[in-house]
Amino acid sequence: MTAPTASSSPADAATYDLTSLISPYLDLHMMFPLLEYIDSLISAKAISYSSSDVAQARLSLLKPTHMVDYAMDIYREVHGEEAEIPVEMEEQKREVFRELEELREGQVKMDELFRNEELRANLVQSNQWNVKFITSEPGFEVTPETIATYYKFAKFNYDCGDYQQGRDMLENYISLFASPPKPQKEGEEDEEDDQLAGAPPKTSSEDEKTGNPNMYYLTSIDTNLLQVLWGKLSCEILVEDWEEASIALVAVKTAIESLASSHKLTSLEALHQRTWLLHWSLFVFWNDASGKGLESMVELFTSEKYLQAVTTHAPHLLRYLTAAVLLCKRRAAKKAGSNSNAEGRRLLRDLVKVMQQCEYSDPIVEFVDKLSVKFDFEAAQSQLERCETVLSSDFFLCKQTELFMEEARVFVFENYCRIHHKIDLKNLGEKLAMDRDRAERWIVDLIRNAMLDAKIDSEEGCVVMGAGTVSVYEQVMEKTRDLTARSGGLAANLRGYLNDVKRAKSNRDRKAREAMESGEY
């Protein structure tokens, strides 16, 4: 990750740093990349933190882990190269190696079984690759304690900083509780041809046992397996395998909602889990090279249950939601085709609703508020200048600084054009923090690429906007977009009212019977 240029203001960068707000919701190991980025900011004189304070914070984070050699390096960095390593750190190192060997020996039989690919494939095919069968087969010499030790060894490797080994071991462990679809056998192709010809499909008990595809084909979920899935997601993030991390993120989300719906998690516990997931998802969404990450992020953050987590537990996440909406607004518009304008307006309207529910503000949020709600272009321009400092000093947003500034200028232009028919290029350049010539070239490219209904009058030095009309299709979609949600709300209210009437009638009948019985006796 590249360090920002030294042009950032140190005071402002420190003021808007969210590390202290995000860190309580991250695994300790996830904090090290953030601290490394802060070190790069300090080296570039882009933030007013002390490198010794950051090193001391890193040393404190290392204490609960098993990365003793790394901790010793940081200790020397803090106290000097000639400093004597404390006795307790030397003792911790010896204890780590002792426990490492003990766990390695305790899981050997399980490790051998995982490495025997041919035997494993046969057991999977015969539905015998599970804890119950493996522990009951004497020839394997595997007990429930052996499997538990294998899991502890995976976690121990993770705590030692060997994330790749931890990931592979957790993947093996999860497979013991999963039931994926079986590979197609010879003769099954004929069965598919029969189905295409109209014959009814054949069913089997094997098909019914297939697990949830969104959760690594796990057949069931409990809080212990949820912790395993969290560990898998953490490993994928730390090895920076973003494609697999996206799959792991969906698995954790599916598990949380499954446990919440089955009341194995209380409402408060589920809310806490969702808050943690939102923070971990920042690593995944902002590193998604497919281009779909930000759309997925907006969808997740604005869904009802996760929006509750944002507004109640983590309003600072509004920064990332706001940035994501601005960055994916035009991309979503292109996908929507003829309904592009309505789609862009919907995204911004939903964002403004979230902003009104969150007690949080920074230049990125203020920029959208000044522009979309208050139409204060002068204040928006002032906030836009600060946005660059915020973006370049944010671990998750720093790679998107240039793209965000470009999209922000487009956003200013779009809003300015909505309320003006003829726009002076010099004034518009000031709003976009550009000179007149640069603003003219930028607007020409924008009109060409975005197919805006506008033209430039070079003689008068202005942009002339066309009479924008909203198609009938857009008008209908705009008015009916929320109809399903409103209808669902009305239906739910009606059901609640009818249930209240039934309960009231039942109570009246019960009281009448009690009165009659008391009168008889």
Side-chain angles (χ1 to χ4, degrees), residues 110 113-114 123 126-145 147-148 173-178 209 219:
M110 194 70 243
L113 191 58
F114 280 124
L123 292 174
S126 58
N127 285 329
Q128 293 176 325
W129 184 254
N130 53 64
V131 174
K132 183 178 179 181
F133 179 80
I134 289 173
T135 54
S136 64
E137 183 65 32
F140 295 153
E141 300 181 55
V142 172
T143 65
E145 290 74 22
I147 296 176
Y173 183 82
I174 290 171
S175 70
L176 294 172
F177 304 89
K209 292 179 182 178
T219 54

Side-chain angles (χ1 to χ4, degrees), residues 457-481:
D457 189 332
S458 299
E459 292 182 1
E460 294 189 17
C462 64
V463 180
V464 181
M465 301 303 300
T469 58
V470 181
S471 69
V472 175
Y473 175 77
E474 287 191 23
Q475 294 179 44
V476 172
M477 289 299 295
E478 190 75 12
K479 292 180 180 298
T480 60
R481 182 179 298 278

Side-chain angles (χ1 to χ4, degrees), residues 166-237:
R167 176 181 77 164
D168 295 342
M169 294 184 71
L170 286 179
E171 191 171 318
N172 287 333
Y173 183 82
I174 290 171
S175 70
L176 294 172
F177 304 89
S179 180
K182 302 299 179 291
Q184 196 176 60
K185 299 178 183 178
E186 292 183 9
E188 290 185 352
E189 294 181 3
D190 296 335
E191 182 181 325
E192 289 184 1
D193 293 338
D194 293 340
Q195 291 179 21
L196 291 173
K202 298 178 181 179
T203 59
S204 66
S205 58
E206 289 185 5
D207 295 332
E208 296 172 1
K209 292 179 182 178
T210 300
N212 190 332
N214 292 326
M215 206 164 56
Y216 295 111
Y217 291 100
L218 291 174
T219 54
S220 62
I221 189 68
D222 56 27
T223 52
N224 291 328
L225 277 176
L226 175 61
Q227 293 305 310
V228 177
L229 294 178
W230 276 111
K232 181 72 160 58
L233 173 58
S234 184
C235 289
E236 300 294 0
I237 288 172

